[in-house]
Amino acid sequence: MLNPVKEIEKLKKERNAVIVAHNYQPDSVQAIADYIGDSYGLSKKAAQLEEEIIVFCGVKFMAESAKIVSPEKTVLIPDINAGCPMADMADIESLIEIKRQHTDAAVASYVNSSAAVKSESDICCTSSNAVKIVNSLPQEEIIFLPDKNLGDYVSKRTDKEIIFWEGFCPTHHRVMLEDVKKSREIYADAPILAHPECRAEVLEKADYIGSTAGILDYAKNSDAEKLIIGTEKGLLYRLKEENPDKEFHLLSFQLICRNMKKTNLEKIFNSLKNMEGEIKIDEKIRIKAEKALQAMIELGE
Ligand code: 13P
Ligand code: SF4
């Protein structure tokens, strides 16, 4: 391929396709995307797009969410093996069993979950609206899955009783209190901005906790010249683009999600050329999952 960027542009026009990318995607992918965003922004955007084909550069649950809200569209994921280990920690059988044990509880599932898990949920949430979503539910008991760290963050900001799930994001869970201490030693006053998928002890020491979009907003409005980023490395691309005069440092060098890095320009080209990696969801599951996702979108951020 002589010039992958040009080839992709050409194919995109021919096929009436649009490329959306999550904030954690490799720099070269974000550079050619038509839209970049956090999970909430992208799931909302997917329902509004006019193109017939959505090439979703992210992990599988994100591409599935796009398909759930726009079933008439063809949704392609450039690497079908780009999964989310945390989403894989929640299975439908265990969820049904917990629901049976807590018949009065509502189920709030983080969008980092399979379409099947969403279909057994009352509502979905993302890291940007989890507290608001949980507080909006009439039930007092909430089964919150799959992220125990986000669940803990929510439980400290609500009077509801949270029933936790033993899931976590391996990438964010790797960040330790020691990393916060080291960062404070090296960068003294630089604010630490952390994603709520980090451990509670890390979040307790953070100056700001938010989704990837929240971190971008905070960084833009901050007077600080140096900022420490407690989320996946890919976010540095937009942080640097949008704030060329500020310095950004990762809270831990281990903040890399291998699945997010599976996408590249060659795979995007191939998926568009050969219509490979199409997301398919059983219609009965999709209809139920759509209710949970739309309930979230209606409540907003
Ligand atoms: P956001 O919802 O902040 O985009 O994060 C998604 C994700 O996968 C975090 O690890
Ligand atoms: Fe899943 Fe964590 Fe990767 Fe996000 S960063 S996609 S939660 S493994």
Side-chain angles (χ1 to χ4, degrees), residues 46-59:
Q48 300 160 350
L49 293 169
E50 276 165 12
E51 289 81 358
E52 285 159 40
I53 299 171
I54 302 173
V55 181
F56 207 111
C57 302
V59 292

Side-chain angles (χ1 to χ4, degrees), residues 22 24 38-39 61-62 110 112 126-127 172 195 197 211-212:
H22 185 265
Y24 294 161
D38 69 348
S39 305
F61 77 80
M62 296 177 175
Y110 192 22
N112 299 41
T126 71
S127 53
H172 289 85
H195 196 279
E197 287 175 11
S211 73
T212 52

Side-chain angles (χ1 to χ4, degrees), residues 32-45:
I32 61 142
D34 298 295
Y35 301 99
I36 314 170
D38 69 348
S39 305
Y40 177 76
L42 293 181
S43 56
K44 215 172 108 181
K45 189 86 218 167

Side-chain angles (χ1 to χ4, degrees), residues 175-190:
V175 183
M176 298 292 175
L177 192 54
E178 202 47 42
D179 297 309
V180 176
K181 285 182 188 155
K182 271 194 206 140
S183 187
R184 293 278 189 225
E185 270 167 36
I186 304 172
Y187 302 109
D189 297 332

